[in-house]
């Protein structure tokens, strides 16, 4: 929650304008096209994250610029190359993580803030972008992420070669398309929470990820939670929340 006395002292010292003080006291910053939640980090531990798809470049620039004044970290998901190029021309301090489709602005280095790591286990190389979205979300929220790629069940020996590293993680994100079988296999071999991400990778009867989604929801293995199709961000966020409990 806002520290009213500290905000008033900053206004008195000329360090904050009346408009900026109002934003901090109300916990919101209003633009013509968006109302930004400035108190999100205070309530949940993580700042507001911006969904970039469907937003114009001008809207993204306006939102990022406003959030940079209030947040240590600004994260924008689902950004395409054209959006990123134009944003970086105006805001060169922002980083574009192309593989993950993310824009990141941070006042300090993005480094792990707690021991242990999150394993991001991807069935195939075609799941790479979703895996990177998950991994970078984990990193932005203070945990180490290790991507373990191309260990799907079609060549299950590849999974066993990385099994000790997977078992060593505090939380596991399991990403798979096709029939989504990797989740049940992994969850049956580990004693850590598994967050499953179905992807839209697959042929016609995959139904754009619905087949993998249903397989993961119906997994006979225990300790599995499932997020939406291709939702690497959601999985990374949940993994970060779980891993953050090691600080308690």
């Amino acid at each position: 929650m806002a520290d009213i006395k500290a905000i008033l002292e900053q206004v008195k010292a000329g360090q904050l304008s009346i408009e900026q003080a109002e934003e901090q006291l109300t916990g919101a910053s209003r633009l013509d096209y968006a109302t930004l939640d400035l108190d999100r980090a205070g309530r949940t531990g993580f700042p507001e994250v911006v969904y970039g798809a469907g937003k114009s470049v001008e809207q993204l620039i306006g939102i990022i610029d406003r959030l940079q004044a209030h947040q240590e970290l600004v994260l924008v998901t689902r950004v395409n190359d054209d959006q990123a190029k134009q944003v970086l021309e105006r805001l060169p301090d922002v980083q574009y993580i192309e593989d993950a489709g993310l824009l990141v602005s941070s006042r300090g280095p993005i480094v792990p803030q707690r021991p242990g790591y999150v394993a991001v286990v991807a069935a195939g190389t075609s799941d790479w972008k979703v895996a990177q979205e998950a991994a970078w979300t984990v990193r932005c929220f203070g945990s180490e992420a290790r991507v373990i790629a191309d260990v799907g069940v079609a060549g299950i020996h590849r999974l066993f070669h990385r099994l000790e590293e997977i078992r060593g993680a505090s939380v596991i994100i399991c990403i798979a398309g096709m029939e989504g079988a990797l989740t049940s296999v992994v969850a049956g071999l580990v004693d850590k929470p598994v967050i499953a991400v179905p992807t839209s990778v697959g042929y016609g009867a995959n139904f754009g990820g619905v087949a993998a989604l249903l397989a993961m929801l119906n997994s006979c293995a225990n300790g599995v939670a499932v997020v939406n199709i291709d939702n690497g961000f959601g999985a990374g966020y949940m993994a970060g929340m779980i891993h953050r409990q090691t600080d308690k």
Side-chain angles (χ1 to χ4, degrees):
M1 298 298 292
D3 185 334
I4 297 174
K5 183 177 180 180
I7 292 170
L8 293 175
E9 290 288 351
Q10 290 178 67
V11 172
K12 182 179 179 180
Q15 297 171 344
L16 276 181
S17 69
I18 292 175
E19 291 76 15
Q20 289 173 322
E22 181 185 21
E23 288 181 345
Q24 291 196 26
L25 288 169
T26 61
S29 182
R30 292 178 177 82
L31 300 167
D32 290 340
Y33 44 82
T35 300
L36 307 178
D37 184 355
L38 304 181
D39 195 39
R40 185 80 61 90
R43 298 193 315 273
T44 70
F46 297 133
E48 181 173 19
V49 175
V50 181
Y51 181 70
K55 290 183 174 64
S56 71
V57 171
E58 290 302 319
Q59 288 171 342
L60 288 176
I61 290 171
I63 291 169
I64 294 169
D65 183 63
R66 186 66 61 89
L67 288 178
Q68 283 178 323
H70 296 278
Q71 297 181 180
E72 296 287 328
L73 174 80
V74 180
L75 178 62
V76 184
T77 68
R78 296 303 166 101
V79 176
N80 61 42
D81 291 344
D82 185 58
Q83 286 174 311
K85 179 182 177 181
Q86 294 184 66
V87 169
L88 267 59
E89 287 174 353
R90 300 268 294 277
L91 300 173
D93 58 326
V94 174
Q95 181 183 6
Y96 177 42
I97 313 296
E98 183 176 358
D99 281 356
L102 300 177
L103 291 173
V104 181
S105 172
S106 178
R107 294 180 190 172
I110 296 175
V111 295
Q113 299 171 11
R114 56 191 61 88
Y117 60 91
V118 175
V120 181
V121 183
T125 306
S126 297
D127 302 309
W128 181 256
K129 195 173 185 72
V130 177
Q132 289 299 314
E133 182 182 59
W136 276 100
T137 301
V138 168
R139 292 168 187 145
C140 284
F141 292 132
S143 296
E144 178 186 352
R146 300 186 187 179
V147 179
I148 298 170
D150 201 21
V151 290
V153 298
I156 202 166
H157 58 289
R158 300 172 301 183
L159 175 67
F160 296 144
H161 289 161
R162 307 294 298 274
L163 189 55
E164 288 310 306
E165 186 177 8
I166 295 169
R167 283 174 167 164
S170 300
V171 188
I172 299 161
I173 297 173
C174 187
I175 301 169
M178 299 292 186
E179 84 292 2
L182 181 63
T183 292
S184 292
V185 174
V186 169
L189 294 170
V190 301
D191 61 352
K192 307 295 170 51
V194 175
I195 303 167
V197 188
T199 71
S200 51
V201 173
Y203 297 103
N206 171 264
F207 297 114
V210 173
L213 171 64
L214 293 175
M216 291 171 175
L217 287 171
N218 286 285
S219 175
C220 60
N222 298 314
V224 175
V226 186
V227 299
N228 211 338
I229 298 167
D230 291 336
N231 190 8
F233 165 74
Y237 192 105
M238 179 60 71
M241 292 184 74
I242 295 170
H243 195 209
R244 186 178 58 171
Q245 301 309 306
T246 60
D247 296 340
K248 306 300 183 184

